[in-house]
Structures are given as C-alpha cells and as structure tokens.
C-alpha cells in the first residue's frame, strides 16, 4: 500500500508540472476541444442531469463553458460544495453561474442561500476532475478522496476530463479508486 501511495504522490507532482508547463494558448485550445467532446457525449446520452465540478485553477480542465452549454440546452446542472471537515461533497442545482460564490479552497461553489440540494437521477452524468487517468478508466485525483467517497453513493455515468499528456497506460491504484465510464481529452473520447 505504501508503494501505491508513494507512486501516486510522485505522479501527482509530474502531472501538475505537465499541466503548468502548458502554454496559455495550448491550454485554451485543449479546453475548447474537451468541452466540445464532453458536450457531444452528454447530448448523445440524452441525460437530464449532469453533476459537474467548477474548475478552479489553471491546472484543471475548464468546465465553465461546459456548464453554460448544458444550462442553455435545458439540462439540469448540479455542482459540488466541499465539506472539508469530513472531506465530502454536497451537490446543489444551479440556474446559472450567478448561483455560485467563492467557498472553501477559494473554489466557486453553489450559494446555498439560493440553491436547492440536488436530488440525483439514476443514470445522470458525473463529470469528475482528475490529475491523471489511465486507459482502463482509473483516476488519480488530487489526493483528498472527495470524489472517490462520493461516487460510491450513486449510479452515475462517470466521465473523466483530462489533458492527453496526463493519460497513461496504467496508473497506481487501489480498491478505493473510482473507475470512469468515459475519459475525454483534447484528442477525443474513450468509451470504457
């Protein structure tokens, strides 16, 4: 177990560097392509609800445009609020980006004064952040376990967003790590 933990730590460092080394133009182009592939997949699945993280840093795949596109198409979008004391997530429905405010970690989160707690629909898409993924659908998160814990509580179609430079043949993993149904990079989608 220690080897897996240490290998994950080293891979996180490597992937953060790969992402910070991307030029602003490279990242913008990749984000636009990923957004297009993600929306194409979601519209093709004809889902009524999408759970989506709100991108917060320069190393995450940008999701703001995905959220806007889904809302324009009338798809219910629910976004997470971090509960840091227990490293868990609560999701709330939003009507637009003006339903968000800065929360813990300085991340945009639902304003719980105006947003309603989400009622999950089986078969909803959950767009999952990650630093790296492998071609078997395994995910390397940011290390706190928020999404791995959350994903055990529902029947979601799990979609990982990732830059191609952080897509590996195999990544270190253990039994607690979530496995995706799809991975999307700027080069297209992978159906697992």
């Amino acid at each position: 177990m220690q080897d897996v933990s240490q290998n994950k730590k080293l891979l996180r460092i490597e992937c953060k560097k790969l992402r910070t080394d991307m030029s602003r133009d490279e990242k913008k182009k990749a984000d636009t392509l990923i957004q297009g592939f993600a929306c194409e997949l979601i519209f093709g699945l004809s889902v009524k609800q999408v759970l989506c993280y709100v991108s917060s840093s320069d190393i995450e795949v940008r999701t703001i445009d995905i959220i806007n596109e889904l809302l324009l198409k009338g798809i219910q979008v629910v976004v997470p609020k971090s509960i840091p004391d227990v490293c868990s997530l609560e999701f709330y429905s939003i009507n637009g980006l003006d339903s968000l405010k800065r929360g813990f970690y300085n991340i945009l989160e639902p304003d719980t004064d105006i947003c309603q707690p989400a009622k999950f629909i089986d078969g909803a898409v959950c767009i999952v952040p990650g630093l790296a993924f492998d071609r078997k659908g395994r995910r390397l998160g940011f290390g706190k376990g928020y999404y791995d814990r959350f994903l055990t509580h529902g029947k979601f179609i799990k979609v990982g967003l990732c830059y191609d430079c952080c897509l590996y043949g195999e990544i270190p993993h253990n039994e607690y790590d979530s496995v995706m149904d799809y991975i999307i990079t700027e080069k297209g989608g992978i159906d697992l």
Side-chain angles (χ1 to χ4, degrees):
M1 187 66 138
Q2 182 60 32
D3 285 340
V4 169
S5 222
Q6 185 61 28
N7 289 340
K8 283 183 172 188
K9 185 178 179 179
L10 294 172
L11 187 55
R12 280 188 186 99
I13 292 167
E14 177 181 319
C15 288
K16 285 178 182 177
K17 180 165 179 13
L18 285 168
R19 289 175 177 219
T20 56
D21 285 350
M22 292 174 74
S23 73
R24 186 176 299 275
D25 287 342
E26 270 181 303
K27 184 177 183 326
K28 185 176 180 180
K29 183 177 178 184
D31 286 342
T32 299
L33 290 167
I34 292 169
Q35 173 198 339
F37 291 129
C39 288
E40 183 180 310
L41 171 67
I42 292 165
F43 300 150
L45 292 172
S46 299
V47 296
K48 296 185 180 352
Q49 183 184 65
V50 175
L51 291 66
C52 188
Y53 71 95
V54 181
S55 51
S56 63
S57 71
D58 288 340
I59 65 169
E60 284 186 313
V61 173
R62 182 175 162 83
T63 59
I64 296 295
D65 297 326
I66 294 170
I67 291 168
N68 274 330
E69 186 70 22
L70 297 175
L71 289 168
L72 284 171
K73 295 288 187 184
I75 295 173
Q76 182 189 30
V77 176
V78 296
V79 298
K81 176 176 178 54
S82 298
I83 312 300
D85 299 348
V86 289
C87 291
S88 69
L89 299 170
E90 292 177 351
F91 280 80
Y92 292 80
S93 296
I94 63 167
N95 294 320
L97 297 179
D98 57 346
S99 301
L100 304 174
K101 68 177 186 178
R102 294 274 169 205
F104 202 73
Y105 302 116
N106 203 30
I107 295 171
L108 285 173
E109 295 183 334
D111 182 343
T112 56
D113 292 333
I114 59 172
C115 296
Q116 296 297 313
K119 293 179 182 172
F120 300 124
I121 300 170
D122 279 349
V125 165
C126 184
I127 296 178
V128 183
L131 277 171
F133 292 88
D134 71 19
R135 294 187 177 278
K136 296 177 182 175
R138 292 184 288 241
R139 166 184 173 269
L140 178 71
F142 289 82
K144 302 271 190 222
Y146 281 85
Y147 271 87
D148 289 321
R149 276 189 282 285
F150 171 74
L151 289 171
T152 63
H153 299 293
K155 296 177 181 176
F156 305 109
I157 299 167
K158 298 177 289 298
V159 178
L161 303 183
C162 181
Y163 298 111
D164 193 67
C165 62
C166 294
L167 180 63
Y168 294 85
E170 186 168 354
I171 59 173
H173 61 279
N174 59 38
E175 68 274 10
Y176 303 111
D177 294 328
S178 300
V179 177
M180 301 297 103
D181 299 299
Y182 298 90
I183 296 170
I184 296 174
T185 75
E186 67 271 26
K187 293 189 176 177
I190 300 170
D191 181 351
L192 304 157

